[in-house]
Every structure is written in C-alpha cells, then in structure tokens.
Amino acid sequence: MTMSLSAELWPDVQPETARRLMLAGVESFARRGYHATTTRDIASAAGMSPAALYVHFPSKAALLFAISKYGHEQTLSLVESVVARETDPVERIRLLVEDFVAWHARRHTVARVVQYELHALPDEEFEIVAKLRRRIEQVVREVITEGSQAGVFTVGDPHTAARAVLSLGVDVSRWYSDRARQTPKKLGQEYSELVLRMLGTKLS
C-alpha cells in the first residue's frame, strides 16, 4: 500500500502523519498480529520515531480503534447508500452484496485487521465498534425481512440469514489477495448470485 492510499482510506483524518501511522498500523497488524506488534514496529513502518506515534495516538490500542472505527463507518455508509438508492429487495441485496464483497476484496489488508483484530480493543472502544456492526447487520436484516414479507426471499430467520450474508463478505478479507483469479468487482457479482440463491430467490 502507498501513502496516497492512506488519503483515500481516511480522507478526513488530519494531519497526513496521522494517516501514515494508521497505514503503518494496518501493515504491521496484518503482518504480525496486534499483540505481537510494538509501537516501535508501527513508527518504523511509518518512517518516524516511536515518540512521534504518541503525538497522534496515546496508545497502540487507540490506533487500532481508529482503524476499526473508520473501517466500520465506511462499510455502514456503503450498505446504507445501497438501501437509499434502491427499493426492490432483490436488487438491494444484489447490490449490497456486490459492494460489500468488493470492498472487502479491494481493501483486504485493512478489512482483515478491522474484522479479525476487533477483540483486542478495550471494552469501551469495542462497544463503539460493536454498535456500528449491529447497525450494519440491522440494515441487512431489514432488507431480508422486507423481501421475505414480499415473498421474494424464503428464509426461516432473518437474523441468522443477515449474519450469514455478512459473514460471507467478511471472510473474503481473510483469503483474498492481489493474485486472486477474480477481480473484486467480479467476485462481488458472483457472491451476490450465491446469496440470492441462498435466500431462496428464483433467478431467471
């Protein structure tokens, strides 16, 4: 990842040195895992002294929280955007899954840290991120419930179905790499077809 990517991932984070540290944190956490990463590792990856990290983040946990919070805010914005521009439940799920999966493939390193290092957060910060996760799940669940009531989806429990849909997308970040056969866009399209079949939609 390049420093120009840091501006794309976290456009409202200022100054640039804070974004560089977030990017270095992602790279370090992804390579070593949160617990095995030191603040010195992060500062070194950002080309800074260890003391420079504390100017922007009071701790390693604070840095992970910033990365996790922004990642979840972006995915929440993504699913809410789909719901806002589409009214048909089938098309909502199709586009939602396409975008959700493509994001987790395109940003697989960031997404892997955001999703799989979550439990390293202190309780208070964890609850803030957990609230964003619950909202994401709620949006998906409401679309599935609406589709079930309209007779276009056949599911026993919308709660379970929503978690299954999101789990499929999240897991992409675990295995996807830049050498993958499918592009993020193509993978999103393939997953959306799988999800629609899983929800009992009759595809033409």
Side-chain angles (χ1 to χ4, degrees):
M1 291 188 287
T2 64
M3 288 304 158
S4 62
L5 179 57
S6 67
E8 181 181 342
L9 285 170
W10 306 294
D12 56 339
V13 174
Q14 294 294 335
E16 171 61 25
T17 50
R19 291 203 300 258
R20 285 172 57 195
L21 285 164
M22 289 176 69
L23 185 58
V26 165
E27 293 172 335
S28 299
F29 296 151
R31 184 181 308 115
R32 300 180 179 87
Y34 174 80
H35 292 292
T37 298
T38 66
T39 53
R40 184 176 295 277
D41 293 330
I42 297 165
S44 176
M48 302 178 191
S49 68
L53 186 146
Y54 296 107
V55 173
H56 304 286
F57 302 98
S59 66
K60 183 176 71 168
L63 178 59
L64 177 63
F65 173 58
I67 293 167
S68 298
K69 181 172 176 285
Y70 276 104
H72 282 87
E73 286 174 342
Q74 288 176 4
T75 52
L76 174 58
S77 177
L78 181 152
V79 298
E80 288 181 332
S81 174
V82 170
V83 171
R85 71 177 187 264
E86 288 290 338
T87 58
D88 176 64
V90 172
E91 282 307 300
R92 275 181 167 176
I93 285 294
R94 184 191 302 277
L95 294 176
L96 190 153
V97 172
E98 284 184 11
D99 290 355
F100 191 79
V101 168
W103 190 91
H104 281 79
R106 190 176 300 112
R107 304 285 182 245
H108 56 89
T109 305
V110 174
R112 190 161 63 251
V113 171
V114 166
Q115 297 291 351
Y116 292 104
E117 297 291 353
L118 182 65
H119 291 281
L121 290 172
D123 290 345
E124 185 175 343
E125 287 80 1
F126 176 85
E127 182 52 35
I128 292 171
V129 175
K131 184 176 180 179
L132 292 168
R133 291 171 72 88
R134 289 193 294 270
R135 175 57 186 155
I136 293 167
E137 183 179 324
Q138 179 186 357
V139 172
V140 177
R141 185 174 66 247
E142 287 173 351
V143 175
I144 293 174
T145 298
E146 181 184 355
S148 297
Q149 293 172 346
V152 293
F153 298 149
T154 304
V155 297
D157 180 10
H159 288 75
T160 302
R163 288 181 178 178
V165 169
L166 291 171
S167 294
L168 285 171
V170 165
D171 192 58
V172 167
S173 66
R174 179 184 58 79
W175 62 263
Y176 193 87
S177 76
D178 296 332
R179 296 183 178 182
R181 176 175 56 85
Q182 306 101 321
T183 64
K185 180 177 178 60
K186 179 62 176 175
L187 187 66
Q189 292 171 341
E190 292 180 0
Y191 267 56
S192 70
E193 295 294 314
L194 290 171
V195 165
L196 286 172
R197 293 182 188 280
M198 181 180 77
L199 296 177
T201 304
K202 294 181 180 179
L203 303 177
S204 58

